[in-house]
Amino acid sequence: MLMENIISAVYERKALWDPAHPLHKNAVVLKNLWGEIGQALNTPEKIARNKWKNARDYYRRELKRKEVRGQNEEPVSSTWPYFQQMAFLRDVIMADMDNCDKQFSTLPWPRTLQRSPRPAGKDRKEGTPGKRKREEEEQEAAEDDMHFFKSLMPHMKDMPSTKKLRLRAQILDLFLLQEDDELEN
């Protein structure tokens, strides 16, 4: 019952859930709105806010599941009891997911990942560089990699944490694919 009341209370306060609302980024207004909700429901503001965040995140996951299942032509339905009540968020969340996909597709990703050069063996007779030379090469490779990752920071700065996690997972997947390719060759 409390969850239904929280969802209804948030729905009535559009600034809390609609990024297009002019007061959506005003921290003072948002804090006051959460205070109103806590007072109206006779529950601590922090608990109401956490329950809302969990419900919103769960609704987002359910939408993603429906979207994936819908692509497979399987029946699409959610058994979560608050799914229909949270439907007012659908357009906002779908727009957010679309923006995330577009943002990732426009990043200047290389087609293949290049591994940093590995230091040569210690056998000097084969013409391998000395220890100091290897250390310099390793340091240059590490600096090059660091510059690349730092170049991504402006793109990631304003990205919500869930999108950052998705991006990091995609980067790790690319590394794993590169490792698999090297093992096959």
Side-chain angles (χ1 to χ4, degrees):
M1 185 68 160
L2 177 62
M3 195 65 238
E4 290 174 2
N5 293 337
I6 290 172
I7 294 169
S8 294
V10 169
Y11 174 71
E12 293 169 0
R13 293 157 178 88
K14 196 171 183 176
L16 291 174
W17 58 269
D18 186 2
H21 193 281
L23 298 175
H24 180 70
K25 292 189 178 189
N26 187 325
V28 174
V29 170
L30 299 181
K31 179 149 181 57
N32 289 338
L33 291 174
W34 280 112
E36 287 176 17
I37 290 173
Q39 206 169 26
L41 301 178
N42 198 23
T43 188
E45 169 190 334
K46 189 172 183 175
I47 290 175
R49 191 183 298 215
N50 285 339
K51 284 188 176 292
W52 166 252
K53 182 185 177 304
N54 291 339
R56 186 192 62 218
D57 292 346
Y58 193 83
Y59 182 72
R60 177 178 280 121
R61 284 192 301 271
E62 285 292 295
L63 278 179
K64 282 184 186 180
R65 280 190 207 126
K66 285 183 73 157
E67 188 176 276
V68 169
R69 281 184 268 166
Q71 292 171 355
N72 297 332
E73 302 299 328
E74 294 178 17
V76 179
S77 64
S78 174
T79 58
W80 188 49
Y82 308 113
F83 188 81
Q84 291 302 322
Q85 191 179 3
M86 297 282 289
F88 66 93
L89 281 180
R90 186 180 193 292
D91 292 339
V92 170
I93 289 176
M94 294 304 286
D96 187 43
M97 290 191 311
D98 288 343
N99 287 339
C100 177
D101 292 340
K102 287 176 189 172
Q103 191 174 21
F104 288 141
S105 67
T106 59
L107 286 176
W109 292 112
R111 292 287 179 217
T112 58
L113 293 174
Q114 298 294 324
R115 297 192 97 198
S116 300
R118 291 193 173 148
K122 292 186 177 183
D123 189 1
R124 290 182 181 266
K125 292 181 182 177
E126 295 177 11
T128 59
K131 183 178 180 181
R132 180 174 290 160
K133 180 77 172 169
R134 281 194 312 267
E135 287 174 355
E136 289 174 5
E137 288 174 353
E138 288 174 353
Q139 186 174 1
E140 285 178 16
E143 288 175 2
D144 185 44
D145 292 340
M146 184 57 70
H147 287 300
F148 169 73
F149 286 110
K150 283 185 177 182
S151 73
L152 299 177
M153 292 304 293
H155 300 286
M156 294 180 68
K157 183 177 67 170
D158 298 323
M159 197 181 290
S161 60
T162 54
K163 289 182 183 179
K164 285 182 186 180
L165 288 174
R166 245 186 263 137
L167 175 61
R168 290 175 183 172
Q170 288 177 339
I171 291 171
L172 291 174
D173 287 342
L174 289 172
F175 280 114
L176 289 173
L177 286 172
Q178 184 66 26
E179 280 290 321
D180 291 344
D181 288 347
E182 287 181 8
L183 290 175
E184 289 175 5
N185 294 333

